[in-house]
Structure formats: structure tokens, C-alpha cells
Amino acid sequence: MVSRDTFLLTLALVSAFLVVSMDAQSWDVAVAIRNRIDFFSKNGTQTFNLTVDKDAELRGLAFDYVTQTVYMSDSKNSDIFMYSHKLDEKSSVSPSVLKPEEGSKSTAVGIVFDPSERTLYWTDQSLNALMKMKIPSEENPKPTPIRLHNFTDHKPHGIALDICNKHIYWANSYSSKHSIERSNLDGSDRKVIVDTELFRAYGLAVDHEGGKLYWTDDSEGYKYKIERSDLNGNEREKLWEGTSQQPVYIAVDKDTVYWTDWGSNAVWKIGKNPTTEEEPVKFVKYKILRPRNPFIESIITRENTENIDCEAILRRQNKPVKNIVLPASPDEFHNHVTNDTAETTQIDKNCRNNSYYDESTSSCRCNEGFIGVNCETLSPCNNYCIHGNCTLDNKGLPQCRCTSSYVGKRCERYICDGYCLNDGFCSVSNAMPSCKCEHSRGPRCEYTTELDELCSQYCMRPENTLTGINITLCRCGEWNGTFSEFSFSAEQPMSSTIIVWTLVAVIGTLTIVVGVLSYHVHKLRRRPRIRKRFVGGKRGNTQLTSRPQGPTDSYEISIENCCNMNICETPCFEPKLRTTPTKSKSTKKDEKNSLLDSMEGADSC
């Protein structure tokens, strides 16, 4: 007979096993924290955690959805630097995946897993290389790591895998030569895809469904950026730019971007297409256990690692479908291993994603957004059409049939958006927009002559009140050019007045100058003149007191303004303004000029 204690212990173990099995299927985000991994749902609720080793320092994380195995790298353990653990197992002890070579040390800071090739890839900062290795199997229990790339001027950190296009990406966080590079999975066709406006790129993530590459950049100073581009490094855009964070690892799912922050020891998230008002929010916050030594590391999402339909993704990208065989579920993977057959379309009653098995049709009835035999694959139509119905064309690409009020490739734009101008009211009738205008006219309310005149008057002089019009319709900021013209016109009278008074002042000044000059000219004209006449004859005698009356052969000499000459009709006096001759050696010509200058006075003879 089984004792009560034994029964309770057995029941507890069974319950624990069921809880672990259930939790293993109910997580969305996993975060590496010191020596454990925390698993969360999308709403931030922690579902369970996995403890590795008390001395471990976990860095990179990768997940194999086929076998439900999580891989983790350890930067502290010198004997074992990579572990694996199946989430449906109760044991917390993780078996070794890889040991470093004898006498060498490896530090895998970022790891990814390729389910089609059953291969791990990682960036190794100790070896300064990008490495890869097959997962141990019965045929090859001790696979040998292979150096895919050796770096000389790199400090590799983040790593991401494009499963469908078979590309591997890595981030070089060396501050003097920052870049994001890419190559094929065999190491060929290596190229730099981003090398500008980067300071220290740490984390990388590939969004398979969206066809985008995301990365974190710890900018110089206290700023940081979350950026993305297409898988070729083109169409680059800044998703978010903030301050006071040090983002390290990044992950994406269907509609959210997550990253770990060493600065605040927290996980942040933001929408993949945020609005202008949207800001990052804390997904989970940890206490600071060791100051100045961050402990929160890698982050992965489950949604971006499982059920990747590469055929549909490549068709949407208009690319040729490569020879990619991805098991759609763990059951199909085990079916491959045990039966060694390529038949993966066998219908069973294990319908996934909340679908149900229809006995009448012997098939799974999938919920909206899922397709496949067992409803295991996310449909390309899932959330594709925003306002309309989605169907797949003959190439498997989604196409939308929009409702009457929406247009666009994804029925994303309301037909009235931007149609009516000048604040006209738009309505839809028979799938056609029409406008009702208030202060304008025209089919789209595009003619606003009367409104322009009224608003121009208001914008020039806001103290004026307008009747019959809502002044909120007058966007004065848009009237800069027109307003300046009207302002010039309004100031014209003041400018004319200034010009008139300036001209009056100039004319008055000129009048005064002319008057002064006229006075002095008139005064000079009235100056008295003294004329001296001398009459002489050929015989050499000259009358001194009167005009000669003698013979006709006489002559007459007239001298004006003369004084101190030998003959003069009246006595001559020294003028007051006469300058005294200097005793210097001056010429007679200078002396004569001095005498003439002294004759200008009234007292001269």
C-alpha cells in the first residue's frame, strides 16, 4: 500500500512536470540574466525561468523551435562555454555543447541557430572570429568548430541570421571602424552593408516576416539609436533615438522591438511602426545587484524563430525560392528522424494555433491568419489588409479588396484623407469623395479668394475683428510671403512722409547756402574801383594834372586800383590792410602781389 507522503510527493512531481511542459510552450520572450534565463509572455508576465550553473555568466541565446532547445553561451566558465537545454525536460542542468580547444579560451557574445542546417553560428571576441559548428548528433557526437571569418581590426558583437536568404550578419563594435557586414553561410560574398553614422553597433536582429535588419547603436556621449534597414542595408531609417541608455542586444517579433539596456538594467520595447507620440516603455525592470557591472544580456523572441514560411516570404520579395526545407513543427522533425522520409504533409488530429479537427472533412479547420495542413504556418494574409479582405494570388502573394471608404495597397488610407482643401468637410458617396466648403469654393474647396482677402487683413492686424468667419481658419503662419507684401503696403504712407520731410530739409539747406553765396557775390560787385589815367606824347613830356589837349599823336594809359605810384591825381595813403614787406629775400613779383592784395580796402587811393 502506498503511503500518503509517497502519494503526495509523486503528485507534486507529476504536477511540476506538467507545469514545466506547459510553460515550455507558453513563453514569448527570453532574457539571459547572470546564470539563468527568464521567460516572459508578451504582457511582461514571467512564466518560468531556467537556472544553469551558479558560476555561469550567460551572454548569447539561441532557440531551436523544432526540438524546443535553447542554446546559451557562458563567458566565465573556462571549461564549458556553451550549453543546451530542452525546455520540456525538468532538469536544470544543461549538458555541454562545446568545449574550447586545449589551451585556448573562447567568449561567444552572440549566437544564432540555423534549423535547416542544424548549425550554430557565433561571434567570438577571444578568438576575434566568426565561428560555426554543427549540432552534436549520433553520427557526429563531437563536431569541430570552423572559423568562418577571421578579423584583424574588428570587435565582433551582435549576430543575426537570415534563414530564408541564407545570409549571416554581424556587427563590428570597434569604435574606430564601426560597421555591419554580411556574407553567405559558407563565408563567401562578404560585404559591408552599413558603415556610416555608426558609433558602436552592438545588437543585431533579422525580422524574417518584415524583411528588415534591426540594430542598436550606442552613440557617442549619452545618446543611443534603434535603427533598421532592408536586408541589403538600403532604405535605412531611425526607429527611435533617445538618451541615458546603453542598449546591447535586440530582438523582434511580429509587431514589437525589444532591447536590453545596461544603463537601467531593464528590457525596453516599442512598436515596429511607432507613431510620433509613441515612446519606449519598460518591458521588465531588474534590481541592480552589482553596481558598475551590467548583468542583463541577450534577448530572443519565440515568434521570430518558429514557423518561418520561407517560400511565402521569398515569393513576397519576388525572389526565387531556394532549396530550403524547414520542418514545420517538432512533430514533423521527429517524424523525419525516426522514419527517414520526406513525407511531411501527413494529416493528424494535432491541429495547431487553436484550430480544430473536422471529422467530416478529415482536415484541420484553421483560424484566421493560419494556413497549412495542421494550421501550423502563419498566412501571408495575416494582418495584411487593414481595411479590407485579403486573398492570395496565383503566386501566393497577398492582395487586398478594400472597402468603399479606403484605398491603397493594404487598404491603409482613408479615401477622404487630404482630399478636401481649406478645411472643407469630406464625405463618401458611392465610393467617391465629395467636399462641402465653408469659406471657399470648387470641387475640392481649392478656390479661396474671399477668404484670402479677409485672412490677410486679419493676419496683418490681429487686433481687427472679423465677422462672419471663423478666425481659426486663418493660418497666419502660412501667409509669410503675402503678409510681408501687405505689410509693405501698410507702411507706405509713413515712408512717403519721411521722404517728403527729408526733401524739404535738403531744399531748405540748399536755399540757405544759395542765399549766403548771393550775398557775398553782391557785396563783391559793389566794391569801389580806382582808375588812374596817364596821358603822354611822343616827345616824352607828360601833363600831370589834366587830360592832354595837344597833338593827336599823344597816348593814354589807364591803371586801375593803383597806389603809391610816381604820379597820382590825389594823394595816396597807406591802406590799413597793407601787409608789411618781409625782410626775406622775396622777389619783386611777390612784393607786387602783396601790394595789390592790400589795395582791396576802402582807404586805398
Side-chain angles (χ1 to χ4, degrees), residues 54-75:
K54 64 178 181 179
D55 295 325
E57 292 287 348
L58 301 182
R59 299 291 296 274
L61 287 181
F63 180 62
D64 175 15
Y65 77 92
V66 175
T67 61
Q68 294 294 298
T69 302
V70 59
Y71 299 94
M72 61 213 84
S73 63
D74 184 3
S75 62

Side-chain angles (χ1 to χ4, degrees), residues 548-588:
Q549 301 294 326
T552 59
D553 55 356
S554 63
Y555 60 89
E556 180 179 320
I557 299 176
S558 296
I559 301 176
E560 293 185 4
N561 295 331
C562 176
C563 187
N564 275 344
M565 307 301 288
N566 290 329
I567 50 177
C568 208
E569 292 183 359
T570 59
C572 184
F573 302 93
E574 284 289 330
K576 294 181 180 180
L577 298 178
R578 180 177 180 180
T579 57
T580 303
T582 60
K583 295 181 180 181
S584 60
K585 294 180 180 181
S586 58
T587 62
K588 293 182 178 182

Side-chain angles (χ1 to χ4, degrees), residues 46-103:
Q46 184 174 345
T47 57
F48 67 104
N49 61 58
L50 173 65
T51 302
V52 182
D53 185 276
K54 64 178 181 179
D55 295 325
E57 292 287 348
L58 301 182
R59 299 291 296 274
L61 287 181
F63 180 62
D64 175 15
Y65 77 92
V66 175
T67 61
Q68 294 294 298
T69 302
V70 59
Y71 299 94
M72 61 213 84
S73 63
D74 184 3
S75 62
K76 186 177 181 180
N77 199 322
S78 59
D79 296 329
I80 301 172
F81 76 93
M82 197 172 295
Y83 302 92
S84 68
H85 181 79
K86 289 188 176 182
L87 296 182
D88 55 358
E89 294 180 354
K90 294 179 293 181
S91 175
S92 62
V93 179
S94 300
S96 170
V97 173
L98 184 63
K99 293 185 178 181
E101 298 177 0
E102 190 70 25

Side-chain angles (χ1 to χ4, degrees), residues 334-357:
H334 292 300
N335 188 44
H336 275 282
V337 175
T338 56
N339 298 332
D340 192 23
T341 176
E343 181 63 37
T344 60
T345 59
Q346 180 180 359
I347 300 175
D348 57 28
K349 296 183 180 180
N350 186 19
C351 300
R352 300 173 182 83
N353 297 309
N354 296 324
S355 58
Y356 68 93
Y357 184 78

